[in-house]
Amino acid sequence: MTSPLLVLDTPALYYRSFHGLPDTIRSPHGRPVHAVRGLLDTIAQLVQQWDSRRIIAAMDADWRPDFRTAILPEYKAHRITDEARGTETPPELEEQLPVIFDALSAVGIPIAEVPGTEADDVIASIVAQTTDTEVVVVSSDRDLLALLEPGRRVRVHRPRTGGRWETTAPEDLPGLYGVADGTAYRALAALRGDPSDGIPGAPRIGEKTAAKLVAGFGGLEEIIAAAQAGSKEHGLSDLRRTSILEHADAVRAGARVMEGLTDLDVREFVEEAGGAPDRARAVALGTDWGVERSVARLLEALGAPVESSPAPSTAASQTSAASAAAPTAGGGEAGAAVTGWARNLCAFDLETTGVDPATGRIVSAALVPFADGGEGPALTWLVDPGIEIPEESQRVHGITTARVRAEGTPTALALPQILAAIASLRERGTVLAGHNIVYDLTVLAAEAVRGGLLAAPQDLLAGLPPVVDTLVIDRQIDRFRRGPRTLTAVAEHYGAPLADAHDALEDARAAGLIALAQSRTSSALAQLSADDLHASQIDWKREQAASLQEFLRRRRPSATVNGDWPLEPLD
């Protein structure tokens, strides 16, 4: 089946990211880039969901065209935030727009705008003129449902609450909105009104009443005529008749304003869809603006993966270079070859809603493969747990409830993907590494039981590859070292860069680098088979827990320390 043409209502998407993500997401030079990051992540998600690289980014060349304000002067007038410039765009978003345009161009997505028109007009023209392939219009604007006419191969893909998306085809309109086609939906919308666009509608006419009137009488002119004739059919009460007659001209104007132009020259945009990304340019832009991961994720989705991690900023490069040149703890060289189990590992990390693995819900996950010491392309998930993320957890990892609801994948969809990705490691002979990974695996098991994917937490063990826990290993091979054993502290000890702690991708990457450094530190450790290392850690963790418990009981006789590994009991 031919992949659809994805046509993005780009302003709607970047406004959604701007308002949905925290403005603390900044570039290396301190400028906000949350709209950039959110838009790129959304596009990567769409490419994967629809299995299509044919994308057009429709833009507003004029967000309040003169031909529309001539029909309805109040059209979008309430949105103006700067009267002198006549714009609705906040300064913090406006400074991100050039980055958005550059990023879209770099990844090969044509920017479609026509002077004097809105993105809606470009989209309407593409839909009307594209008959040889299916078109998927991506927008939060429900007015674009008016494009769903019978015989058109078009669907509208709209973000909803909780990270969900709703896809509507022409045949869905009767069941969802009670109208026969897109033209009837526009009549419904004109009667109902749309305060967000300054379209007044007729007071006392809600969506259900409007749908009933349109279905019963056929169209706006027929409804107005019926009101003039005093009809009482299809819910046309006296109050509603009066409202329609008093606001007939405004309703007609609203319908005309909502009708998109269909005769714009859009052929070039369609022909350019699916162009090859300029990978080097995209990577450089991602590095300059601090959105490396979003760029890499999108390039991966578009079939142009980044072969190596983008170069960090100058200061970070100097730090990383110094770390790489320095010998690791125990005398192993950071650049030395890896052997045994360390030649094929994949690092894993979760960020969650809380510290209790029995109740914590996944909000992000990352798997970072390392082959022969080199890092491969990562798998990442932003997950909507379906519950509010506590403020204390948001302060730790920076992931807000608003963000996961806007950009995340529901747990019911993400969890099977994570479990399948981990299970595939076992088939490939890859070990699974993490720092205090017992926590992450216990959370994963609890989520799988809660979601009905496992009957009991221990069932997770059957699908796991051999596991490497850098915390357990560090305590075993360097047991008398003073100081904390947090990921940040252990990463610093082994010379593993960790620029953004409590980010699943960065934490997983650091854990993988620590595991590699540990294998170089101890030849005895490196020579163990993956299965023997896994079995050894079970004993090491039990001994470490017993030793810690003995120490704690000198002050608190009732202290207990769990020694189970790689999974803690959830009963």
Side-chain angles (χ1 to χ4, degrees), residues 183-184 186-188 190-191 210 213-231 236 244-245 247-256 259:
T183 300
R186 187 181 298 113
L188 175 158
L191 282 167
L213 291 171
V214 172
F217 292 111
L220 285 183
E221 293 306 322
E222 289 81 1
I223 293 169
I224 294 170
Q228 291 171 334
S231 174
L236 199 55
I244 290 170
L245 293 175
H247 297 88
D249 289 341
V251 168
R252 290 186 178 106
R256 290 172 59 199
E259 187 170 2

Side-chain angles (χ1 to χ4, degrees), residues 247-278:
H247 297 88
D249 289 341
V251 168
R252 290 186 178 106
R256 290 172 59 199
V257 160
M258 285 188 287
E259 187 170 2
L261 303 178
T262 59
D263 58 353
L264 302 180
D265 186 358
V266 295
R267 290 171 297 175
E268 184 177 348
F269 308 135
V270 176
E271 291 170 357
E272 291 178 352
D278 184 338

